[in-house]
Amino acid sequence: MSLHVQEPGEVPAETVRVARKAFPKGSLAIRVRDELGVLFRDEAFSGLFPARGKPAWSPGRLALVLVLQFVEGLSDRQAAEAVRARIDWKYALGLELGDAGFDYSVLSEFRDRLVAAEAGRELLDAVLKAAGVRGLLKTGGKARTDSTHVLSSARELCWLEQIGETLRAALNAVAHAAPDWMEAIALPDWFKHYATRLEDSRFPKSRSGRDAIGLRIGGDGMHLLQAVHGAGASPHLRELPAVGILRQVWVQHFQLVDGEVQRRGPKDRPPGAKRLVTPYDPDARCGVKRDTMWDGYKVHLTETCETGAPNLLTHVATTVATVPDIAMTTVIHTQLAERERLPTEHFLDAGYVDGPTLVATRRDLGVEVVGPMPSNTSSQADSHSGAYSLDAFSIDWDNKTVTCPGGSTTSGWKNRIHKGNPSIRIWFSRNDCQPCPVRSACISSPTAKRRELEFRHQDEHDAIRAARATQQTPEWKQRYKTRAGVEGTISQGVLAFGLRRSRYRGLGKTSLQHQLTGAAINLARIDAWLTHRPRARTRTSHLTALRPAG
């Protein structure tokens, strides 16, 4: 397929006439064309197509089809049918009424091109650019961000299903690539155990029986891996994706001990960030957030929250499920700054806030992060314990000394890296701590012989103390209520746009899905703003409404 750039023209007169007659009050697709103009142009996608070949259907129009598809929650077949049959879509796309459209498979091919070029964010940016020209986007003021979990499109598997399906997928891949070689090395039981999906099997109820099946699958997989890497195997078999996944899963779960296959213990397995959970979605990971556990990904949504304009999503980021929120704060700010959409006040959940981020964001970008600073979790910080927390110690930053509540001063001062962040560790002399009359209120451990402290450098230390003090005030709590609105955005994304379940497999395609979802939410909100449709009120149950005030 090659790209022949087409300049977008006016909507054909007959299409306009029929659309006005059929939709006297308009529709979302018609208002998008009337109010925002042409959102996507062919030249923006010139790098996705070769210079020679059969002319491709207009990529600018395909991009709009993808966004409208997510607005209405349509499948590829339904979206292609809408292009052929719906007048309002033909109006939005600038097509003649008799245009036959395209085969639905074109959408999947176009998405693959977007994923390969990592061009999904450009679709969201194009909608935001058009909204800015129309005066519907306000940046530079307030914004808010939160994340939610996203389930993989692949079914969640138990351990036996995971290893069994991984082996079955590898066997099928090898059998397709080298059927004669596979027939020669296959064990007789393989055709009985792995001809059908493992979910159709009935596993034993006893622990010993299930463990025996696990070791049998482990041995079969090890036999295949040894054969594939043996001298008689074709080298290209080792490069099959399914064989690579089999090798990775087997390293996670099994080991050879004196020639026997044994299952690894829990402490001998790779960390969760590297551990595969299904052979059918290698990018998916197992995430845990409080009481929620899921296999898949995580999506971060950032939206404007200014008065006098619709709240539009300015940034959407997708990660694997194991990436913590705090790792994304700087990424979000950096990418917003690149597009000149950085807010001056950013309302965040507690998971996005820590001392280094608070200081660096204010110093480097001029952004004030408004979010709960995590509390001090040390045993001495408990207000009911009566113990001396870090706040009870006086720090002389210039002379690098610390004075304790008992009056002793220490010069034991060491800079180090703690959990990836620069910090300072200090310690007092045993001769001062042992006879100290307030020792019981300072040292909680009966075996500890001296008090040690760990704290951040001065700018971060002062920022953390100030933030913890400020967030206890009524004024700060009232101001922080602004962040709550992003929960409604997540709810809208989940209920109306399928945000919480991936349509596709792989991080790249899931990320594209979320960029398209962000663009679709923006179009829906712009349409609601233009038609003066009020936002839904927060639902309150009848019982909650009877709750006494205060």
Side-chain angles (χ1 to χ4, degrees), residues 278-352:
T278 173
Y280 302 115
D281 192 353
D283 293 335
R285 295 293 183 269
C286 180
V288 180
K289 188 173 183 179
R290 291 187 288 272
D291 296 332
T292 303
M293 180 179 293
W294 74 99
D295 291 345
Y297 306 92
K298 188 187 291 186
V299 60
H300 304 259
L301 304 178
T302 301
E303 68 173 1
T304 60
C305 48
E306 291 290 327
T307 58
N311 296 336
L312 301 182
L313 293 174
T314 56
H315 188 271
V316 178
T318 308
T319 67
V320 296
T322 52
V323 175
D325 290 348
I326 188 62
M328 292 302 297
T329 308
T330 301
V331 174
I332 293 171
H333 286 153
T334 301
Q335 294 180 355
L336 284 173
E338 291 173 353
R339 289 162 172 75
E340 298 182 349
R341 300 190 188 116
L342 202 63
T344 55
E345 292 180 272
H346 199 176
F347 294 84
L348 298 168
D349 197 2
Y352 292 92

Side-chain angles (χ1 to χ4, degrees), residues 30-68:
I30 292 175
R31 281 188 288 272
V32 164
R33 181 61 184 251
D34 289 342
E35 300 293 339
L36 301 181
V38 178
L39 291 177
F40 310 102
R41 298 180 180 272
D42 288 353
E43 55 264 24
F45 305 96
S46 59
L48 305 184
F49 295 86
R52 302 177 62 183
K54 182 181 178 180
W57 213 74
S58 166
R61 286 171 172 158
L62 285 176
L64 180 57
V65 171
L66 287 179
V67 176
L68 292 176

